Amino acid sequence: MTSTETAYDESCLFCRIVAGQIPATVVRDNADFLAFRDINPQAPTHVLVIPKAHGYRDVGELAAKNPELAGRLLAEGAEVARQEGLPDFADIPGYRLVFNTDDAAGQTVYHVHLHVLGGDALGHFGSAPH
Ligand code: 5GP
Ligand code: ZN
């Protein structure tokens, strides 16, 4: 554990999922990462991948403070996509990896998390129509 990490923050939703205090549908679990299905999926497959350690509020902080863990988080995202069959999905292969960062992107949980989305054509992204 690095100096910026804590094992557990009781006020953090994702730490509570790691601790098993809030149920989640886990698709992958290893020493440093947990992957579980998003409760409000935005695509047929929508999985969140998180480092188990608390202490990185968003991807920029993670990359700055622990680039090695950031790189392995990306590899975990790609592995979850592979495990979910997305790169070879018969109808429409491929997937999207997303890190929402702060209010403009609608970040709601400040424990860094990678969204893995796929299973359908995902549409374009950017500003909402207004
Ligand atoms: P953000 O908007 O911060 O990038 O992503 C947070 C994600 O967490 C949202 O997509 C939201 O649907 C998901 N989420 C919020 N609460 C829960 C929960 O209790 N369980 C699970 N599995 N996902 C959650
Ligand atoms: Zn946390």
Side-chain angles (χ1 to χ4, degrees):
M1 195 170 295
T2 72
S3 59
T4 57
E5 293 179 0
T6 53
Y8 174 72
D9 178 337
E10 66 179 23
S11 67
C12 171
L13 174 67
F14 288 171
C15 282
R16 292 171 66 84
I17 287 177
V18 171
Q21 294 168 341
I22 294 174
T25 304
V26 171
V27 300
R28 196 171 155 82
D29 185 359
N30 54 41
D32 293 328
F33 301 100
L34 187 72
F36 53 94
R37 297 201 189 282
D38 196 291
I39 204 169
N40 182 23
Q42 302 299 308
T45 297
H46 187 173
V47 175
L48 302 172
V49 189
I50 64 171
K52 288 185 173 178
H54 186 87
Y56 308 103
R57 76 190 300 277
D58 58 43
V59 68
E61 186 171 278
L62 177 65
K65 291 184 172 170
N66 195 337
E68 189 268 343
L69 192 66
R72 288 198 292 123
L73 177 57
L74 293 179
E76 278 294 309
E79 186 54 29
V80 165
R82 191 202 59 74
Q83 190 178 300
E84 294 286 317
L86 301 180
D88 305 314
F89 192 59
D91 290 343
I92 183 152
Y95 57 91
R96 181 174 291 154
L97 303 181
V98 174
F99 290 100
N100 292 323
T101 303
D102 222 326
D103 288 343
Q107 185 175 5
T108 56
V109 181
Y110 287 87
H111 177 139
V112 64
H113 50 280
L114 173 59
H115 296 258
V116 181
L117 298 147
D120 199 357
L122 295 172
H124 210 41
F125 56 88
S127 296
H130 57 108

